[in-house]
Amino acid sequence: MAGTDRTRARVEEDGPQITLVGPQLGENIGASARAMLNCGLTNMVLVSPREPWPNEKAAKMSSGASEVLDRARLFDGIGAAVGGLNHVYAATTRTRDKTQRVVTPRRAAEEMRRAMAAGEPVGILFGPERSGLTNEDLQHADTVISVPLNPSYTSLNLAQAVLIIGYEWFHAGAAVEPEVLLMHATRPANKEELGFFLARLERELDAAGFFHVEDMRPTMVRNLRTIFQRANLTEQDVRTLHGVVAALVRQRSR
Amino acid sequence: MAGTDRTRARVEEDGPQITLVGPQLGENIGASARAMLNCGLTNMVLVSPREPWPNEKAAKMSSGASEVLDRARLFDGIGAAVGGLNHVYAATTRTRDKTQRVVTPRRAAEEMRRAMAAGEPVGILFGPERSGLTNEDLQHADTVISVPLNPSYTSLNLAQAVLIIGYEWFHAGAAVEPEVLLMHATRPANKEELGFFLARLERELDAAGFFHVEDMRPTMVRNLRTIFQRANLTEQDVRTLHGVVAALVRQRSR
């Protein structure tokens, strides 16, 4: 089920959820709000900002974009912040030693337009100013957005990263045909449903002694999450996978 | 007149001449130098900056992009500054009551790439922070670059305008793969490996009574295959999934 017409209209109007993970300085939150509004984006989410919120320096820096700050929502974990989304992107300049889908901002913008036109909420994660997103943060994303810039000098600040990705979003315009993914009586799973399944899988694997080398656990968990993130699961798929796990585990009690 | 081969190589390498007309604050010149270098641009020209040049605040703000500032050339009029160029663009957010060719940054980037590949030097004018380019300034330009942004809120600062136009320049020339899947020390699974895993999964599910409604079996099998097909599994992923199935099934014998 795609959203209702009203949900869809609101989702498209606000644009992707710009999710600032652990932003350090209020000024940068304010500057990001300006960058967002320049691009017609108004849906800001803050995950554990370092400074208290609301923040005066953010307000001061946002000049004219207070409507974005006023509506910003606060969460203390990425999981909760992206729970209602169908697709999560992560903006990063570093490459990682893991297998993950990587797209340019332009490609991401087209994909996001298409998803949102179908009523599927989308979000983008931006990491803290100095350190960027951790590998753990990246587990919440389906796709990495890598901004093509001079490889020997990349010094984008937070608001600039928001600006470039937002610019591509705005540029892509609303006139993108929704991609017809054949979904019969189903819809894309949201992150909460996916997270619920992954947690169950990990629990069962734990009980089965799968993580017998404790040092390897984080890597194994990440690999598993990545596999199922990449699959673009529908809500029906997630139910099927629950059935699979249940069936395999049930054998034990026979 | 196209340039010599040597000129052409240098011209393309440096990128378009970024011409800051009457910049007010040294900080903004420094921030623009950073934005330029992010986009591989190194040819900066200053026309009558308000503060004396060289400027300490510019240097301080340019962190790591001093090579751009060190090479910046100073002129006291636009005419002299653009004298050696074949094509001049003007960046502006306002529309003017005069007839002038207006293009997007993307279109401008393509045109500039084409011109410079032919050895024809190109420049872009950026106006003072507060007021922008005057109509008189615009007379030096062949073409206006208008950045498509939220018409009801446009608050780009100088460095941000340089960044967006520079980003399009870089993007137009970068051999950007549309989509990269980062795979370290692994490779995509081949269909044989995938088929082998799926067959095993089905066998185990059969043993577990998963396909208890026989009519539904083909649909269930197809859905399961689709889920794992879509995930673009690597060879390592397939091995992980074998481990998952083995672990879950192993519980039975405990």
Side-chain angles (χ1 to χ4, degrees), chain A residues 18-68:
Chain A
I18 302 301
T19 312
L20 307 185
V21 178
Q24 301 176 286
L25 301 176
E27 287 91 333
N28 294 327
I29 300 174
S32 298
R34 288 182 64 170
M36 284 175 62
L37 198 53
N38 268 306
C39 306
L41 302 173
T42 53
N43 182 1
M44 176 185 263
V45 157
L46 305 172
V47 178
S48 312
R50 200 180 62 180
E51 298 175 345
W53 188 259
N55 183 291
E56 254 188 46
K57 286 178 290 176
K60 202 174 158 197
M61 192 68 175
S62 72
S63 84
S66 57
E67 61 174 292
V68 176

Side-chain angles (χ1 to χ4, degrees), chain A residues 202 206 211 213-223:
Chain A
E202 284 161 36
D206 230 347
F211 302 115
V213 183
E214 196 55 36
D215 282 358
M216 289 295 290
R217 174 191 286 267
T219 310
M220 301 289 275
V221 167
R222 199 159 59 231
N223 289 348

Side-chain angles (χ1 to χ4, degrees), chain A residues 12-140:
Chain A
E12 279 198 76
E13 198 177 297
D14 295 344
Q17 172 182 305
I18 302 301
T19 312
L20 307 185
V21 178
Q24 301 176 286
L25 301 176
E27 287 91 333
N28 294 327
I29 300 174
S32 298
R34 288 182 64 170
M36 284 175 62
L37 198 53
N38 268 306
C39 306
L41 302 173
T42 53
N43 182 1
M44 176 185 263
V45 157
L46 305 172
V47 178
S48 312
R50 200 180 62 180
E51 298 175 345
W53 188 259
N55 183 291
E56 254 188 46
K57 286 178 290 176
K60 202 174 158 197
M61 192 68 175
S62 72
S63 84
S66 57
E67 61 174 292
V68 176
L69 291 188
D70 293 347
R71 293 178 50 195
R73 288 166 298 141
L74 192 64
F75 291 89
D76 58 9
I78 300 181
V82 303
L85 304 178
N86 287 121
H87 307 278
V88 178
Y89 292 80
T92 167
T93 51
R94 286 184 282 163
T95 42
R96 310 285 169 156
D97 61 343
K98 64 177 293 205
T99 305
Q100 199 149 14
R101 187 168 165 266
V102 181
V103 297
T104 60
R106 189 158 307 166
R107 174 76 171 255
E110 288 162 13
E111 292 177 359
M112 292 188 293
R113 285 278 178 189
R114 213 175 288 128
M116 297 188 80
E120 301 167 14
V122 167
I124 310 167
L125 307 178
F126 293 85
E129 291 89 330
R130 212 159 282 280
S131 50
L133 295 167
T134 65
N135 282 338
E136 213 184 313
D137 297 339
L138 285 176
Q139 288 177 37
H140 294 279

Side-chain angles (χ1 to χ4, degrees), chain A residues 34 37-38 63 96 99 101-102 104 106-107 150 153-155 167-168 170 208 230-231 237 247 251-252, chain B residues 34 37-38 63 106 148-150 153-155 167-168 176 179-180 182 184 208 230-231 237 247 251-252:
Chain A
R34 288 182 64 170
L37 198 53
N38 268 306
S63 84
R96 310 285 169 156
T99 305
R101 187 168 165 266
V102 181
T104 60
R106 189 158 307 166
R107 174 76 171 255
N150 181 4
Y153 183 81
T154 310
S155 75
Y167 161 78
E168 287 283 8
F170 191 88
R230 269 207 314 264
D237 291 337
Q251 291 200 45
R252 155 181 55 174
Chain B
R34 289 182 63 169
L37 197 53
N38 268 307
S63 84
R106 190 158 306 170
L149 287 173
N150 181 4
Y153 182 81
T154 310
S155 76
Y167 162 77
E168 287 284 9
V176 183
E179 192 174 312
V180 187
L182 290 176
H184 294 274
R230 266 205 316 263
D237 291 338
Q251 291 199 49
R252 152 182 56 174

Side-chain angles (χ1 to χ4, degrees), chain B residues 47-62:
Chain B
V47 177
S48 311
R50 199 179 63 179
E51 298 175 344
W53 189 257
N55 183 291
E56 252 189 48
K57 284 178 289 176
K60 202 174 157 198
M61 193 67 175
S62 71

Side-chain angles (χ1 to χ4, degrees), chain B:
Chain B
M1 177 205 76
T4 63
D5 278 354
R6 215 175 52 120
T7 315
R8 186 179 310 158
R10 216 213 52 224
V11 159
E12 278 198 79
E13 200 178 296
D14 295 344
Q17 172 182 305
I18 302 302
T19 311
L20 307 186
V21 178
Q24 301 175 285
L25 300 176
E27 288 89 333
N28 294 328
I29 300 175
S32 298
R34 289 182 63 169
M36 285 175 62
L37 197 53
N38 268 307
C39 307
L41 302 173
T42 52
N43 183 0
M44 176 185 262
V45 157
L46 304 172
V47 177
S48 311
R50 199 179 63 179
E51 298 175 344
W53 189 257
N55 183 291
E56 252 189 48
K57 284 178 289 176
K60 202 174 157 198
M61 193 67 175
S62 71
S63 84
S66 56
E67 62 175 294
V68 175
L69 292 187
D70 293 347
R71 293 177 51 193
R73 288 165 297 141
L74 193 65
F75 291 89
D76 59 8
I78 300 181
V82 303
L85 304 178
N86 288 118
H87 307 278
V88 177
Y89 292 79
T92 168
T93 50
R94 285 184 282 165
T95 40
R96 310 284 170 158
D97 60 344
K98 63 178 294 204
T99 309
Q100 198 148 16
R101 189 170 164 264
V102 180
V103 297
T104 61
R106 190 158 306 170
R107 174 75 172 258
E110 287 161 15
E111 293 177 0
M112 291 189 294
R113 286 275 177 189
R114 214 176 291 127
M116 297 188 80
E120 301 167 15
V122 166
I124 310 166
L125 307 178
F126 293 84
E129 292 89 329
R130 213 159 282 279
S131 51
L133 296 166
T134 65
N135 282 338
E136 211 183 315
D137 297 338
L138 284 176
Q139 289 175 30
H140 294 278
D142 312 302
T143 305
V144 167
I145 301 178
S146 176
V147 184
L149 287 173
N150 181 4
S152 60
Y153 182 81
T154 310
S155 76
L156 284 196
N157 63 38
L158 181 57
Q160 286 175 321
V162 171
L163 179 68
I164 286 187
I165 292 172
Y167 162 77
E168 287 284 9
W169 159 264
F170 191 89
H171 204 302
V176 183
E177 290 295 309
E179 192 174 312
V180 187
L181 196 63
L182 290 176
M183 279 187 282
H184 294 274
T186 186
R187 57 168 176 76
N190 65 35
K191 295 307 170 196
E192 191 181 351
E193 289 157 345
L194 181 63
F196 190 74
F197 166 71
L198 290 170
R200 177 187 183 175
L201 178 63
E202 284 161 37
R203 214 162 47 239
E204 295 290 1
L205 287 172
D206 230 348
F210 182 72
F211 302 115
H212 52 94
V213 182
E214 196 54 37
D215 283 358
M216 289 294 288
R217 174 191 286 267
T219 309
M220 302 290 272
V221 168
R222 199 163 54 235
N223 288 349
L224 277 175
R225 288 183 170 263
T226 307
I227 288 172
F228 290 102
Q229 296 272 15
R230 266 205 316 263
N232 281 321
L233 298 175
T234 65
E235 181 268 339
Q236 174 59 58
D237 291 338
V238 171
R239 275 193 281 145
T240 301
L241 290 171
H242 272 294
V244 166
V245 171
L248 293 177
V249 169
R250 199 185 311 130
Q251 291 199 49
R252 152 182 56 174
S253 54
R254 290 203 164 180

